[in-house]
Amino acid sequence: RRCVPCLLLRAGAALASTWVMQPQGGFAFRAVVEGEPFVAEFRRFEVIPAIDRAAMPVGFDVTVDLAAIDSGDRDRDREMASPEWFDLAEHPAARFRSTTVTPLGDGAYVVAGDLTIKGAARRIEIPFDWQSSGSSAVMRGGVDLDRRWFGVGPDDDSSVGATVSVSFDLRWERQ
């Protein structure tokens, strides 16, 4: 992770400050192989939020370095780099670009956009909670994905579960 400036996307908004991603939190996913669940974390990612003057989210641009995966099992991590799985030689990153953020009330939102993994794109909606104090912001949420939408892993789900649960806990400070 690295510090990134916040982009203000609303028409007429002026860049008033810089938002710096904090090291707490992260991206993880839960999957099941041979009936055994495991959790893996992505150690490198970049989330560039678009935040309006009221410190509310209006968009996100996310890049996840798929080579920076840590499942606690080196053999499994090496296997996920192979062409059947993430195919890191051809597709080293996953990318999500949002097109819409819809407030639901009480700090709850849904972001819609295109997720691209292994060259396959799919429009998804991700529910999340957003808390901001004006000088800091916290975003927590997650979504269930079918790994087969992106050609990740075997076509059937007899040995590897199709559902992958992605979760995130992200924090920024205004500088």
Side-chain angles (χ1 to χ4, degrees), residues 1-6 18-24 27 45-51 57 59-62 128-140 168-175:
R1 287 176 264 184
R2 57 187 165 146
C3 298
V4 295
C6 170
T18 300
W19 289 83
V20 178
M21 183 171 273
Q22 300 301 294
Q24 305 92 342
F27 264 99
F45 54 88
E46 178 178 61
V47 180
I48 302 172
I51 302 173
F60 298 92
D61 188 352
V62 180
F128 69 95
D129 292 324
W130 180 268
Q131 299 171 0
S132 66
S133 68
S135 63
S136 65
V138 177
M139 177 184 187
R140 292 186 182 105
F168 51 87
D169 181 344
L170 307 168
R171 299 158 194 267
W172 295 270
E173 292 290 330
R174 187 185 306 213
Q175 303 294 307

Side-chain angles (χ1 to χ4, degrees), residues 20 47 78 80 108 118 122 126 130 146-147 168 173:
V20 178
V47 180
R78 275 193 294 274
M80 283 191 272
K118 202 174 169 181
R122 183 158 187 118
I126 305 170
W130 180 268
D146 187 322
R147 62 175 176 73
F168 51 87
E173 292 290 330

Side-chain angles (χ1 to χ4, degrees), residues 17 38 40 48 61 102 112 153:
S17 60
F38 72 92
I48 302 172
D61 188 352
T102 305

Side-chain angles (χ1 to χ4, degrees), residues 37-98:
F38 72 92
V39 174
E41 294 183 21
F42 294 106
R43 299 294 185 183
R44 288 187 305 270
F45 54 88
E46 178 178 61
V47 180
I48 302 172
I51 302 173
D52 69 13
R53 291 179 191 231
M56 296 294 113
V58 296
F60 298 92
D61 188 352
V62 180
T63 303
V64 176
D65 180 352
L66 297 175
I69 197 167
D70 181 0
S71 71
D73 181 320
R74 287 184 181 183
D75 291 335
R76 178 174 39 224
D77 295 348
R78 275 193 294 274
E79 181 64 23
M80 283 191 272
S82 73
E84 181 181 22
W85 293 93
F86 287 127
D87 193 7
L88 296 184
E90 294 295 320
H91 307 283
R95 182 93 187 259
F96 177 76
R97 284 188 174 181
S98 66

